Amino acid sequence: MLIPIEKVLSKDEVAEFRQRLDAAPWQDGLHTAGTLARSVKRNLQLEDGSPLAVELGNRILRRLGETPAFISAALLLRIYPPKFNRYADGGTYGVHVDSALMQVPGTQVTVRSDLSATLFLAGPDEYDGGELQIEGPFGIQSVKLEAGDMVLYPSSSLHRVSPVTRGARVASFFWIQSMVQGEPERTLLYDLDQSIQALTAAGTDEAELMRLSGVYHNLLRRWAAT
Ligand code: NI
């Protein structure tokens, strides 16, 4: 399931991110492409571990920790530090699947990619093309969100970024290892939690809500690995 999460960053934060990213030195994305991806990847990336990437990445991580929809959807165990990319002048990333296991640079930590995340840092009016196209059970879904919004999607899915024919598409992207590895279980927990939150806000009968909440936690207990 694709899960869009709105307003992870405010308009002001996006503007500040962009001011600094637009002035940053970008590298050819081929530096970090695997053997297979080399033939289909044409974009620019910010150098991993550069002070700017680390600072902005940490700010994104802090914000995610305060975003209930992300917490509920990801059930985060480990996260690969946010990276940044830029597509312009026909830049594209052809159909591919993300690597299953990724070692966090400078550490011994390996992240299994269960979920892939794209946080849009350019608005849809700033560029043509650049849709994130994800193949799922219901066909190809095309994603192009407002600046500051993010989408989570299964890392197991085939996906691509269509060529950018005008302007520049700037984004942050990263991977998440979830406590709940299975996509169907994770989706079920997310749906259940969303309903519990909505019923709580609506002031539903407390005893029933407690029982429903118990079901959520008992499923989580069954399915989560930490
Ligand atoms: Ni990818």
Side-chain angles (χ1 to χ4, degrees):
M1 183 166 74
L2 309 192
I3 302 179
I5 299 174
E6 291 182 354
K7 297 186 174 62
V8 172
L9 295 179
S10 69
K11 292 276 175 246
D12 286 350
E13 285 170 315
V14 170
E16 190 209 326
F17 272 51
R18 278 298 299 282
Q19 198 173 28
R20 300 180 64 189
L21 286 169
D22 289 349
W26 292 87
Q27 292 186 333
D28 193 323
L30 283 181
H31 285 306
T32 53
T35 323
L36 261 180
R38 290 188 74 85
S39 59
V40 292
K41 186 177 183 186
R42 202 143 57 82
N43 68 359
L44 299 173
Q45 288 185 192
L46 202 58
E47 186 186 352
D48 290 345
S50 69
L52 183 60
V54 171
E55 185 200 330
L56 298 184
N58 283 337
R59 283 174 62 182
I60 292 170
L61 293 181
R62 261 203 308 280
R63 190 46 53 89
L64 291 174
E66 302 161 351
T67 304
F70 173 81
I71 294 168
S72 176
L75 296 168
L76 178 69
L77 181 60
R78 295 187 189 134
I79 193 161
Y80 191 101
K83 293 157 74 79
F84 297 85
N85 59 16
R86 187 172 192 276
Y87 294 80
D89 306 318
T92 182
Y93 198 162
V95 174
H96 66 279
V97 168
D98 295 341
S99 300
L101 300 173
M102 301 186 214
Q103 190 171 350
V104 178
T107 74
Q108 301 283 51
V109 176
T110 297
V111 174
R112 183 191 65 225
S113 59
D114 296 323
L115 289 163
S116 301
T118 296
L119 170 59
F120 289 78
L121 295 172
D125 52 332
E126 289 183 62
Y127 58 96
D128 290 335
E131 287 90 0
L132 173 62
Q133 297 177 324
I134 303 162
E135 293 187 19
F138 304 111
I140 295 176
Q141 285 179 279
S142 206
V143 183
K144 186 170 180 174
L145 301 179
E146 292 294 327
D149 293 358
M150 182 175 104
V151 64
L152 287 173
Y153 59 99
S155 301
S156 55
S157 60
L158 283 165
H159 55 273
R160 69 189 285 255
V161 176
S162 66
V164 171
T165 54
R166 176 189 66 89
R169 175 198 195 269
V170 182
S172 175
F173 63 106
F174 46 94
W175 297 276
I176 290 143
Q177 180 172 347
S178 177
M179 290 186 286
V180 177
Q181 181 177 2
E183 156 79 7
E185 290 84 2
R186 203 170 48 242
T187 299
L188 193 154
L189 286 167
Y190 177 70
D191 286 342
L192 182 55
D193 188 49
Q194 291 298 105
S195 287
I196 292 171
Q197 298 308 325
L199 291 171
T200 304
T204 310
D205 178 83
E206 236 174 69
E208 290 305 324
L209 206 48
M210 198 59 77
R211 193 183 352 222
L212 204 53
S213 181
V215 171
Y216 175 84
H217 283 280
N218 288 331
L219 289 172
L220 188 57
R221 211 185 314 281
R222 183 173 287 227
W223 291 333
T226 58

